Amino acid sequence: MSLDSFRSSSSSGSGSGSGSGSKRTSSFSNATNKTKTKTKKKKTLGVAWGSNALPPSDFSGYMALKNRKLHDQFHAQSSSSTSTSTSGKPIFTGVSIFVDGFTVPSSQELRGYMFKYGGRFENYFSRHRVTHIICSNLPHTKLKNLRAFSAGLPLVKPTWILDSVAANRLLPWLPYQLHQLANNQPTLSAFFSFKTSKLSDMEDSTTNVCQSQDRHSSKVNGLISTVSNDTIPENENTNAFMLEDSTNLVRVKYDEGSTAATQEKTNVQDELEPNHQEPSTSVSSPCSDDQNVKEFQSSAATRLSKQGHSTLTDPNFVENYFKSSRLHFIGTWRNRYRKRFPMPSAGLNKEISNNSSDVSRNSVIIHVDMDCFFVSVVIRSQPELFDKPVAVCHSNNSKGTSEISSANYPARSYGIKAGMFVRDAKALCPDLVIFPYNFEAYEEVADQFYTILHRHCNKVQAVSCDEAFLDVTHSEVKDPELLASSIREEICKTTRCTASAGIAGNMLMARIATRTAKPNGQYHITPERVDDYLCQLPIDSLPGVGHVLQEKLKKQNVHTCGQLRTISKALLQKDYGMKTGEMLWNYSRGIDSRAVGVFQESKSIGADVNWGVRFNDVKDCDRFLIDLCKEVSLRLQCCGVQGRTFSLKIKKRRKDAVEPAKFMGCGDCENLSHSITIPLATDNVEVLQRIVKQLFGCFYIDVKEIRGIGLQVSRFESAETSKQEKYSLKSWVASGNASMQKQKYPMDQDKQNMDGTSSGECRGGSSVKIQNNQANANPISTPPPLCHLDVEVIRNLPPEVFSELNEIYGGKLIDYIAKGKGTSETSSSLQNLFLEQETAIDKEEELLNLEPIPQRKLLSEIEAMQHGAEQGDAVSGSGCGPIFKVTHSSSFEKDDLLPSSLSQIDGSVLRQLPEDLKAVIVQQLPAHRTQEICSNGAMVPPSENHHVSLSIKTSENPGSSYSVLDDSLWTGNPPKWVEKFKVSSCLLLKIFAEIYSKSGLSSTLSSVLHQIISEFHQLNLAHQISDETVNIISELLKQYIKVRIGRDIEEIYICFRLLKRFAAKSQLFLQVYNSVFPYLQAAVDDNYGGSLFIAS
Amino acid sequence: MERRENQTPQGQTAQVLVEFLEVAITAVVFLKGVYPSGAFERRRYMNLVVQRACHPQLRYYIHATVSGLLPFLQKGIVERVAVIFFNSGNVPLEKFVFKLAMNQSYGSAVEEVDLESSLRSFLIKLSISESLTKELPPDCRWEITAYFRSLPETGTNKEADLWIPTDTKQWQQPPLITPIKSMSCEPLCLQLYLEHPCLPESTI
């Protein structure tokens, strides 16, 4: 080492001498330098240091010297070239390159460019100085150990420099990333995100072509493998085609794509584009490849973004994934359908409820199923393909591992099945023509299909986009076969695709009949023929009998339904479980009691991505999860439901799993899942993201191992709530004035309640004074229109404003005020009060129009009142703070009008509140608050107390006497003291309670004390020492000790250390501390046989 | 970490607890610096860096004592496990007490994840609680003592026989207690605290 350094430094010494002395030309200097170094390495062995060079102590010192010298040279040269005015604009400022290996142009030329255009050139690699590594080829070892070699710096092709120089600006290096890297990874490059500038396109057209070819192939591959998730398609078994000019279709869409500004469309376009060409057979494949390339190039200009096909390369992966997924199409089709045909299904439900009893009696069911829907729709416009084997698939790459999703009957005769790899299919049938999906066409045909069905029959149950049951029992057409054939004929005419129909007495038999009817036929199983037909039927034809069940049955030597019938129901239920057993027994006898028209509500909504999922780091994964949440949230919103249970499923690569056969597939995976249930149903994307993040955190998984992620939402809120949910915040805000009034009304309810209470109290004779605390009422001018209708205020309004309000209320305001006055001033009777409650509620209903009035009228008066109060409460808690204060002769303030738990809040009201207000309410209300103790319970006569409880939600336990020294302060969740303290007059106690309920359900006293520190200063000033407060806090602590000492001495310890700290500053806490400390020590001694040592 | 399926939640917890105690006691010994730090090697337990004694005898002592506790832990008769440090005169100076309470009537499955994360917090807290402890004199010794709720019958288990009745010297006055960590995770409730003699000069 020392010898080595000695040797080469001698050369550098001489080099520096010559370098500083003479000005060399740029292209020459380094080369000579190098050759010199090399030659001298041999010659100057053992030569002494140059006299002017300080000998560096070791190799690193030498290298530092050398590098500095090289920089000096470089600067000298670049400044000299600047002076000779050959230099250009300093486009490479901040760029420092290191050239690795052989490049075209050579490293010397590159060096020349660099100092001509203000960049830097490093002779020796340094991770700190170098910003880009330039190379055109990398040896295998370096590729394998890429990070060690490149230190994470970009590896860029030399053309980047050339192009940048030609463009006279610094081009993004990403498109010039080294090819090998891209190819080396299964996911193809990061070309997508940057538009290659036109200039560079022209400059470097060859590279571009090759790049675009790459991109294209990647795309095709991607498209192919997207099918991977698709399970075996259900409903695509038929031949016969209806045809249309597909090229036209393509063109039209293409134009759309190029003109439409929306990126979305273009994305879809991008996705499908490569497949829009003429279908290619394997014979013509080379030619069609050329075509591909050409088309790709021609369309390149219209593309806004290039996408890759994994989560790694495509920023919009999730979106695009679902856009090109057939399963997704089928899955979401249902919503489309429901939106399109909402009326028939609604009418249907009524009918079903009327005559559900005679469903199975003499009914006639037709099952209509399109014949190989996915194929026939695509080729309906190309009659010449009618009898050729055709399949639908994401790609026609004959070597692809993409799966066939649907094949027509000629293709099936070759043995081609759905789920087969394209390459296998092509091997079976070289002439197979492959088409891509055409989702728009599918939608169009499905819509036509259902329009026809609904025209012929009012009882339609959609099974899928191409399959439906019709109940034609009460149809005008007497002969079901005639009806079926006319339906089929019409379908054929309209859609140019054929359909088959099965007719039978129930859904099961109709479906089985369709199987016989296919393709393009119809079959009627009359009740007499059911038995004969079923006897011969193999068991796997029964719906619900899959592989597993079939295997099990075969072991029992059951192959046909006839054989199945010989087994008793009890035995079947014993062997296969109650439900399956009964199903088998029924089905083998052709019994099916399901009624047509029941549109099953889905139990869960979610999205799964199991293809193309590859992450490099957590960031990728987070981004993906966010996208997934967006997708799921959209789906929830589409279905108009909100869910409470969220489960995240992750497919994790098995340790020994190899890269899957299918490109970007998930391969052999472990399935992991975590789920969480939240108290309040949501479809909010942000909430979802938070939940998902939390769930994902539970996995402790290396993101590189993840091969698939799915998010499912279930436990939907009831239909009623989801209906109300349509009154979104937006509409609420938009309706301006009127909605303001809506909000006001609940407040009035509130007020009414309070007034009623007070009047009752007055009657009771106790001296209670009512104040409408106007100071606490929010000024009307506050942005959120959450102010209440105060009778006083309204009375004092300017007449024009009042009349306007009155107009909004339809003239009821005057009456209302008069009445309100009446109640508050005179002691009204109980009935009177109720009447008013009702009228107020009625008014509210008219305005809110949330629920039908008759339904509401059925509610008991009390319920109605409660509802009103709830709404009022919910609103009152929404940030206005206490609105009405009822001051009793005792010092307790009754300001807590919040309902005692979230569950009591009217969801619809809550949902309509602005987000921040909502958050405040949710924060203020624990999910299950314990009952509030009525501090004034003893003072108010029982009958009146009932009213009070209506307004504050403590209808039970009306007369319970309140005692400060209750010995169960810590029972319940949240503990009782929280409620007590909330209504206390002492600020400190209130803060205690507030912090506790804010910090969540399971919080400890120590955490409360911790948080109090922050407010301590202010507290210290505000509160006054009263013996009562000291007593209350001491009692609280003592009971806390009692509860906790046995199991959690640490918590007690923390509390008392904090207390001791407080005690040093606050007289009150000192008193508390002193009064509790003996108790504490006694308790510790009892439990631990020692005394607690509390260091200050 | 493999456990038999048919275990009761108590048995299962006891198993985890024994492992944990072994690690925790080693951590205490390491913390107190009774042996040079070179006598320990770094290991991973519950995804934490913990120490393990290199010396086979030391390792065996801790391992054997603790695993000898297993049958008693399962029965729930162990009340406390203490690591006691004595000075040369055999006067206890400091005790690290693990106070156990096992809910014998708890019937549902043990959430091992919860249990582990709770136990992990012990180890974390323990590793930073040196300031709570007191400096030991140079020539001290230590031992593991368990306090049983009742005298166990002579078991058949060989390892359990390692436990012999003893009467440790008690302090004249009740000790000062400094809690380190408490946890409660059904069916186990575990607390760790320090006991120091209540002498006038012992105030820090």
Side-chain angles (χ1 to χ4, degrees):
Chain A
M1 194 62 177
S2 65
L3 186 68
D4 197 34
S5 72
F6 180 72
R7 246 191 280 144
S8 28
S9 58
S10 72
S11 82
S12 96
S14 62
S16 76
S18 62
S20 58
S22 66
K23 281 187 180 174
R24 289 161 188 269
T25 55
S26 63
S27 58
F28 193 60
S29 70
N30 203 40
T32 41
N33 227 346
K34 264 189 182 166
T35 47
K36 231 185 234 171
T37 316
K38 271 179 193 163
T39 48
K40 285 200 177 171
K41 261 178 192 171
K42 281 167 195 165
K43 285 176 189 167
T44 62
L45 195 83
V47 170
W49 295 103
S51 55
N52 56 347
L54 280 172
S57 55
D58 57 351
F59 184 72
S60 62
Y62 152 70
M63 277 311 286
L65 263 181
K66 177 165 184 182
N67 274 322
R68 204 172 59 219
K69 187 212 71 185
L70 285 167
H71 282 156
D72 289 346
Q73 279 184 350
F74 188 81
H75 281 300
Q77 284 158 9
S78 57
S79 54
S80 73
S81 65
T82 326
S83 59
T84 54
S85 79
T86 53
S87 80
K89 187 174 141 197
I91 51 174
F92 290 119
T93 315
V95 172
S96 174
I97 62 163
F98 167 72
V99 179
D100 183 83
F102 175 80
T103 51
V104 176
S106 75
S107 66
Q108 284 315 299
E109 281 173 74
L110 289 175
R111 182 171 183 269
Y113 282 124
M114 285 320 278
F115 76 72
K116 205 166 167 188
Y117 294 98
R120 278 154 61 102
F121 183 90
E122 292 290 333
N123 293 58
Y124 293 95
F125 180 73
S126 150
R127 145 219 302 269
H128 305 294
R129 287 190 298 272
V130 172
T131 59
H132 295 78
I133 300 171
I134 308 291
C135 57
S136 33
N137 195 28
L138 275 184
H140 191 59
T141 45
K142 278 184 179 170
L143 272 180
K144 270 203 322 207
N145 211 351
L146 191 71
R147 281 204 71 83
F149 160 65
S150 69
L153 294 171
L155 288 155
V156 191
K157 284 182 287 189
T159 32
W160 175 55
I161 307 271
L162 297 181
D163 290 351
S164 294
V165 169
N168 206 22
R169 67 185 178 87
L170 190 64
L171 297 172
W173 57 267
L174 249 167
Y176 297 94
Q177 204 190 21
L178 196 66
H179 245 292
Q180 280 167 296
L181 299 180
N183 291 343
N184 201 28
Q185 286 170 335
T187 58
L188 255 195
S189 92
F191 296 144
F192 61 89
S193 62
F194 286 85
K195 281 189 282 180
T196 21
S197 78
K198 269 182 191 166
L199 194 123
S200 70
D201 276 353
M202 270 145 54
E203 284 273 321
D204 196 9
S205 62
T206 49
T207 2
N208 242 0
V209 167
C210 122
Q211 277 176 3
S212 55
Q213 249 166 343
D214 272 338
R215 272 183 230 155
H216 175 251
S217 69
S218 80
K219 183 155 291 179
V220 168
N221 281 343
L223 286 165
I224 291 165
S225 23
T226 313
V227 200
S228 71
N229 306 312
D230 298 356
T231 50
I232 300 150
E234 254 188 29
N235 326 300
E236 57 217 20
N237 325 316
T238 312
N239 54 12
F241 312 82
M242 290 316 213
L243 304 159
E244 195 186 277
D245 187 4
S246 90
T247 45
N248 264 345
L249 200 73
V250 172
R251 183 151 309 126
V252 170
K253 273 204 256 150
Y254 191 80
D255 289 342
E256 257 174 32
S258 55
T259 51
T262 54
Q263 176 143 11
E264 244 180 75
K265 243 174 195 165
T266 329
N267 278 345
V268 181
Q269 191 67 31
D270 278 356
E271 202 64 49
L272 297 175
E273 210 166 17
N275 299 311
H276 276 321
Q277 348 116 6
E278 287 296 296
S280 69
T281 63
S282 63
V283 183
S284 65
S285 66
C287 141
S288 82
D289 271 352
D290 283 349
Q291 237 181 324
N292 285 350
V293 175
K294 273 179 215 152
E295 186 186 319
F296 184 88
Q297 279 180 291
S298 66
S299 63
T302 64
R303 287 170 193 238
L304 291 177
S305 73
K306 322 283 184 208
Q307 331 152 353
H309 280 276
S310 83
T311 52
L312 273 182
T313 49
D314 185 354
N316 297 324
F317 179 77
V318 174
E319 205 181 316
N320 293 329
Y321 177 86
F322 287 112
K323 268 177 194 154
S324 56
S325 160
R326 183 181 65 101
L327 275 193
H328 176 66
F329 171 75
I330 295 173
T332 49
W333 166 85
R334 187 177 279 249
N335 292 321
R336 248 182 71 76
Y337 168 70
R338 225 185 320 182
K339 273 180 200 149
R340 207 179 141 91
F341 302 102
M343 290 318 288
S345 62
L348 205 76
N349 285 335
K350 274 183 208 151
E351 252 176 81
I352 285 168
S353 58
N354 288 340
N355 52 14
S356 57
S357 53
D358 53 29
V359 166
S360 52
R361 218 151 287 156
N362 300 326
S363 56
V364 182
I365 310 289
I366 301 179
H367 178 239
V368 187
D369 191 1
M370 304 283 287
D371 300 324
C372 19
F373 181 70
F374 282 88
V375 175
S376 46
V377 169
V378 174
I379 58 171
R380 67 196 154 131
S381 47
Q382 283 152 297
E384 71 274 10
L385 292 168
F386 188 79
D387 47 1
K388 298 235 169 59
V390 180
V392 167
C393 180
H394 268 293
S395 146
N396 61 7
N397 184 335
S398 59
K399 288 186 181 62
T401 54
S402 139
E403 282 159 16
I404 303 263
S405 94
S406 179
N408 67 356
Y409 282 87
R412 284 177 206 194
S413 66
Y414 284 90
I416 289 166
K417 284 185 212 140
M420 208 176 230
F421 279 171
V422 174
R423 58 169 180 229
D424 300 338
K426 287 257 181 168
L428 284 174
C429 170
D431 296 328
L432 183 68
V433 182
I434 290 180
F435 276 92
Y437 292 119
N438 183 351
F439 292 114
E440 284 166 45
Y442 295 145
E443 272 179 17
E444 187 193 330
V445 174
D447 286 347
Q448 289 170 342
F449 173 64
Y450 275 101
T451 313
I452 294 164
L453 295 186
H454 280 284
R455 198 157 52 229
H456 281 277
C457 172
N458 59 356
K459 269 188 175 183
V460 180
Q461 180 186 344
V463 180
S464 171
C465 52
D466 63 337
E467 184 184 359
F469 285 103
L470 314 180
D471 185 344
V472 292
T473 314
H474 305 288
S475 168
E476 290 134 26
V477 186
K478 281 294 156 225
D479 186 3
E481 290 191 46
L482 205 67
L483 181 62
S485 59
S486 67
I487 289 174
R488 285 181 48 235
E489 199 183 320
E490 196 170 333
I491 290 172
C492 190
K493 257 188 213 151
T494 319
T495 68
R496 280 167 294 165
C497 299
T498 57
S500 305
I503 308 152
N506 58 38
M507 286 165 76
L508 168 76
M509 293 314 294
R511 185 173 206 148
I512 292 172
T514 312
R515 207 156 299 173
T516 314
K518 277 184 177 253
N520 195 13
Q522 65 184 64
Y523 188 72
H524 188 179
I525 304 181
T526 50
E528 317 62 88
R529 282 199 293 181
V530 166
D531 279 349
D532 299 338
Y533 190 83
L534 277 177
C535 257
Q536 304 306 319
L537 196 74
I539 42 165
D540 56 330
S541 310
L542 294 176
V545 179
H547 287 295
V548 179
L549 197 53
Q550 193 189 348
E551 283 307 308
K552 278 187 195 162
L553 286 166
K554 270 187 181 162
K555 270 184 201 148
Q556 290 194 326
N557 208 17
V558 175
H559 298 279
T560 64
C561 286
Q563 289 164 322
L564 191 60
R565 282 188 195 185
T566 59
I567 306 172
S568 76
K569 189 174 184 173
L571 205 63
L572 280 174
Q573 288 186 332
K574 192 178 130 257
D575 287 349
Y576 303 103
M578 291 303 286
K579 272 196 173 167
T580 318
E582 184 169 4
M583 180 203 84
L584 284 174
W585 193 86
N586 280 336
Y587 280 12
S588 65
R589 282 157 184 79
I591 300 168
D592 181 8
S593 53
R594 287 174 299 168
V596 171
V598 186
F599 207 98
Q600 283 164 338
E601 289 290 333
S602 44
K603 290 252 165 40
S604 80
I605 288 176
D608 283 65
V609 183
N610 297 329
W611 177 85
V613 179
R614 297 291 187 277
F615 302 120
N616 274 336
D617 53 32
V618 185
K619 249 189 247 155
D620 292 345
C621 189
D622 283 349
R623 208 173 42 231
F624 179 82
L625 286 175
I626 287 170
D627 290 347
L628 192 66
C629 288
K630 276 183 206 150
E631 175 72 34
V632 172
S633 162
L634 273 178
R635 289 188 190 186
L636 285 172
Q637 280 158 9
C638 276
C639 300
V641 290
Q642 300 186 324
R644 287 180 50 214
T645 298
F646 302 85
S647 52
L648 188 67
K649 292 188 284 184
I650 286 192
K651 276 184 176 292
K652 182 191 167 201
R653 189 178 73 98
R654 276 193 206 285
K655 272 195 183 112
D656 46 350
V658 290
E659 192 59 21
K662 188 161 88 166
F663 177 77
M664 294 306 295
C666 61
D668 190 12
C669 283
E670 280 177 74
N671 294 311
L672 312 166
S673 91
H674 273 289
S675 66
I676 195 170
T677 303
I678 59 167
L680 199 67
T682 187
D683 57 2
N684 182 298
V685 66
E686 275 158 35
V687 179
L688 265 176
Q689 282 168 10
R690 206 164 54 235
I691 292 167
V692 164
K693 216 166 186 183
Q694 190 188 342
L695 281 172
F696 186 74
C698 298
F699 282 103
Y700 301 112
I701 192 174
D702 181 5
V703 290
K704 287 183 183 149
E705 304 285 279
I706 296 175
R707 290 294 178 268
I709 296 186
L711 176 63
Q712 299 292 331
V713 184
S714 51
R715 288 227 202 153
F716 296 129
E717 286 286 82
S718 63
E720 192 197 344
T721 357
S722 58
K723 208 164 72 191
Q724 290 181 354
E725 163 205 356
K726 280 167 197 155
Y727 295 89
S728 68
L729 186 61
K730 270 183 210 155
S731 66
W732 179 69
V733 169
S735 53
N737 243 351
S739 64
M740 228 166 94
Q741 303 299 353
K742 279 185 209 168
Q743 291 300 322
K744 282 180 188 173
Y745 254 110
M747 293 305 210
D748 288 327
Q749 296 297 323
D750 218 1
K751 180 168 168 47
Q752 287 287 72
N753 276 346
M754 296 314 298
D755 288 349
T757 313
S758 65
S759 62
E761 277 162 0
C762 287
R763 232 162 28 106
S766 68
S767 61
V768 178
K769 194 179 145 204
I770 311 289
Q771 295 178 334
N772 281 332
N773 196 337
Q774 293 193 18
N776 273 6
N778 257 2
I780 295 193
S781 58
T782 39
L786 284 171
C787 43
H788 61 278
L789 270 191
D790 191 315
V791 185
E792 291 293 325
V793 172
I794 290 175
R795 228 179 277 141
N796 295 327
L797 282 175
E800 61 268 25
V801 178
F802 181 82
S803 67
E804 196 186 326
L805 274 178
N806 196 29
E807 225 170 81
I808 292 163
Y809 280 97
K812 282 176 186 169
L813 198 59
I814 302 171
D815 301 350
Y816 180 72
I817 288 213
K819 269 183 195 167
K821 210 155 98 187
T823 21
S824 62
E825 282 171 356
T826 64
S827 54
S828 61
S829 70
L830 194 68
Q831 284 80 4
N832 204 351
L833 170 67
F834 277 142
L835 264 175
E836 271 162 28
Q837 291 295 336
E838 263 215 300
T839 46
I841 285 161
D842 282 347
K843 275 184 269 176
E844 179 200 333
E845 276 165 359
E846 279 174 81
L847 286 160
L848 287 175
N849 207 11
L850 283 177
E851 284 168 66
I853 290 167
Q855 197 189 339
R856 189 50 103 68
K857 284 214 165 129
L858 292 176
L859 293 172
S860 76
E861 287 165 338
I862 293 187
E863 264 179 314
M865 277 178 72
Q866 273 190 334
H867 187 79
E870 265 168 34
Q871 289 195 331
D873 290 347
V875 176
S876 74
S878 65
C880 309
I883 292 154
F884 299 102
K885 280 199 175 173
V886 182
T887 334
H888 296 275
S889 47
S890 77
S891 65
F892 282 98
E893 286 175 17
K894 190 96 219 81
D895 62 340
D896 186 12
L897 296 174
L898 292 171
S900 60
S901 123
L902 268 184
S903 56
Q904 292 181 334
I905 287 189
D906 189 325
S908 61
V909 171
L910 186 68
R911 221 168 284 123
Q912 290 177 23
L913 293 175
E915 284 299 327
D916 45 349
L917 292 184
K918 223 193 273 182
V920 172
I921 292 185
V922 173
Q923 202 182 32
Q924 295 228 326
L925 294 176
H928 304 287
R929 255 210 242 180
T930 45
Q931 236 195 25
E932 192 176 345
I933 307 293
C934 231
S935 61
N936 51 353
M939 295 175 230
V940 185
S943 61
E944 267 68 42
N945 191 42
H946 192 60
H947 293 252
V948 179
S949 57
L950 278 178
S951 64
I952 55 172
K953 297 284 127 210
T954 55
S955 47
E956 296 144 56
N957 201 7
S960 85
S961 63
Y962 170 79
S963 119
V964 175
L965 302 179
D966 195 343
D967 62 345
S968 53
L969 283 172
W970 282 95
T971 52
N973 189 18
K976 277 187 182 171
W977 64 267
V978 177
E979 291 307 310
K980 285 191 181 181
F981 283 18
K982 268 215 178 127
V983 299
S984 156
S985 59
C986 175
L987 178 65
L988 178 69
L989 298 189
K990 257 190 222 168
I991 290 178
F992 259 74
E994 264 164 33
I995 292 178
Y996 188 92
S997 37
K998 230 185 256 173
S999 54
L1001 290 180
S1002 57
S1003 68
T1004 53
L1005 187 59
S1006 63
S1007 62
V1008 174
L1009 292 173
H1010 249 297
Q1011 287 177 54
I1012 282 181
I1013 293 181
S1014 57
E1015 296 172 46
F1016 195 77
H1017 179 65
Q1018 163 203 352
L1019 254 180
N1020 212 2
L1021 296 174
H1023 73 71
Q1024 276 150 10
I1025 306 162
S1026 76
D1027 286 348
E1028 204 189 335
T1029 315
V1030 172
N1031 281 344
I1032 292 175
I1033 300 182
S1034 305
E1035 186 59 29
L1036 178 75
L1037 282 164
K1038 280 182 189 169
Q1039 290 186 16
Y1040 194 57
I1041 293 169
K1042 208 161 139 192
V1043 174
R1044 289 291 186 122
I1045 194 75
R1047 298 175 76 82
D1048 200 349
I1049 194 179
E1050 185 196 8
E1051 165 69 16
I1052 301 292
Y1053 177 66
I1054 296 170
C1055 287
F1056 274 85
R1057 289 195 63 173
L1058 286 168
L1059 264 186
K1060 199 169 181 180
R1061 223 179 276 177
F1062 293 166
K1065 291 179 196 156
S1066 152
Q1067 197 61 37
L1068 184 136
F1069 277 108
L1070 187 62
Q1071 284 183 21
V1072 171
Y1073 185 80
N1074 289 337
S1075 76
V1076 186
F1077 194 69
Y1079 181 86
L1080 166 75
Q1081 292 300 13
V1084 173
D1085 199 32
D1086 280 354
N1087 282 274
Y1088 297 90
S1091 52
L1092 202 60
F1093 173 73
I1094 299 175
S1096 43
Chain B
M1 298 293 273
E2 278 175 35
R3 269 169 265 286
R4 274 162 283 151
E5 296 277 313
N6 53 1
Q7 268 185 329
T8 60
Q10 284 76 22
Q12 208 180 334
T13 315
Q15 203 106 48
V16 178
L17 190 60
V18 163
E19 275 176 7
F20 166 76
L21 280 177
E22 187 179 336
V23 176
I25 289 172
T26 316
V28 168
V29 175
F30 175 78
L31 182 80
K32 292 304 295 174
V34 185
Y35 306 102
S37 58
F40 298 90
E41 57 188 5
R42 285 151 62 87
R43 283 299 170 103
R44 182 187 278 256
Y45 175 69
M46 288 179 182
N47 222 2
L48 279 177
V49 173
V50 296
Q51 308 294 331
R52 192 178 74 153
C54 294
H55 197 284
Q57 277 182 4
L58 177 58
R59 197 155 72 202
Y60 177 74
Y61 170 67
I62 297 172
H63 177 76
T65 23
V66 174
S67 43
L69 272 181
L70 181 61
F72 308 118
L73 282 173
Q74 279 166 344
K75 280 180 218 151
I77 55 172
V78 182
E79 194 197 357
R80 280 176 285 167
V81 178
V83 182
I84 308 176
F85 293 89
F86 303 90
N87 65 7
S88 48
N90 253 10
V91 175
L93 295 173
E94 190 168 49
K95 294 182 187 178
F96 284 79
V97 185
F98 294 91
K99 192 174 196 294
L100 311 165
M102 189 93 82
N103 183 359
Q104 288 297 317
S105 57
Y106 183 75
S108 40
V110 179
E111 289 299 324
E112 273 196 32
V113 184
D114 294 347
L115 186 62
E116 285 200 4
S117 68
S118 306
L119 292 175
R120 195 182 296 141
S121 64
F122 263 85
L123 295 173
I124 293 169
K125 189 75 188 283
L126 190 59
S127 64
I128 55 162
S129 16
E130 202 187 345
S131 60
L132 298 174
T133 69
K134 289 201 290 185
E135 194 86 358
L136 287 179
D139 53 344
C140 60
R141 56 172 208 90
W142 65 279
E143 69 176 29
I144 302 171
T145 308
Y147 297 81
F148 286 29
R149 287 192 172 83
S150 58
L151 272 181
E153 308 132 33
T154 41
T156 46
N157 194 324
K158 202 184 84 208
E159 280 190 320
D161 284 343
L162 290 169
W163 284 90
I164 48 160
T166 176
D167 43 316
T168 324
K169 278 189 189 168
Q170 295 289 321
W171 288 309
Q172 295 297 313
Q173 279 168 336
L176 285 177
I177 290 173
T178 313
I180 292 179
K181 188 75 199 169
S182 299
M183 66 147 246
S184 180
C185 175
E186 286 295 335
L188 177 72
C189 171
L190 182 65
Q191 309 195 56
L192 173 61
Y193 56 89
L194 280 171
E195 284 186 5
H196 292 122
C198 179
L199 293 173
E201 69 270 37
S202 67
T203 44
I204 298 166

